[in-house]
């Protein structure tokens, strides 16, 4: 379970300073995070610790994420954006 403090840190981590990532992460955190399992919430938190150039490459399809769990979360977020 995410405490209010942990959730606030998560929201702050969604603000990347790169518009392409901000428009993915910020709405996802607001609208999709609560629907994730607790395991996937932790996975999303871990995704946000990755470097921006890697995140950009994964979300823009320039390269595949080598971590299967993170790749699944990237796919989940992209699917939500397309729906």
């Amino acid at each position: 379970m995410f405490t209010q403090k942990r959730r606030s840190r998560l929201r702050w981590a969604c603000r990347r300073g790169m518009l392409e990532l901000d428009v993915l992460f910020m709405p996802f955190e607001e609208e999709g995070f609560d629907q994730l399992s607790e395991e996937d919430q932790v996975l999303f938190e871990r995704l946000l610790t990755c470097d921006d150039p890697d995140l950009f490459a994964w979300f823009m399809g320039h390269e595949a994420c080598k971590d299967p769990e993170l790749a699944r979360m990237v796919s989940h977020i992209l699917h939500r954006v397309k729906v």
Side-chain angles (χ1 to χ4, degrees):
M1 179 111 184
F2 275 69
T3 63
Q4 184 64 33
K5 185 175 182 177
R6 189 174 177 189
R7 186 70 185 258
S8 293
R9 287 183 182 161
L10 185 78
R11 282 190 191 104
W12 184 256
C14 287
R15 300 182 60 163
R16 307 304 290 201
M18 185 181 284
L19 181 61
E20 295 86 350
L21 297 176
D22 287 349
V23 298
L24 291 169
F25 292 146
M26 294 172 69
F28 180 78
E29 187 278 328
E30 293 171 7
E31 301 164 6
F33 182 78
D34 290 329
Q35 285 75 44
L36 294 175
S37 68
E38 194 169 325
E39 180 181 305
D40 281 348
Q41 288 178 346
V42 172
L43 182 61
F44 179 67
E45 185 178 43
R46 184 163 71 93
L47 179 70
L48 295 176
T49 66
C50 297
D51 293 329
D52 285 355
D54 292 331
L55 291 169
F56 181 81
W58 299 338
F59 279 96
M60 298 304 130
H62 299 297
E63 61 182 70
C65 177
K66 292 178 174 75
D67 181 313
E69 288 183 326
L70 292 178
R72 182 176 58 80
M73 182 56 64
V74 168
S75 177
H76 178 74
I77 293 170
L78 287 173
H79 177 74
R80 281 190 55 94
V81 170
K82 292 178 183 178
V83 172

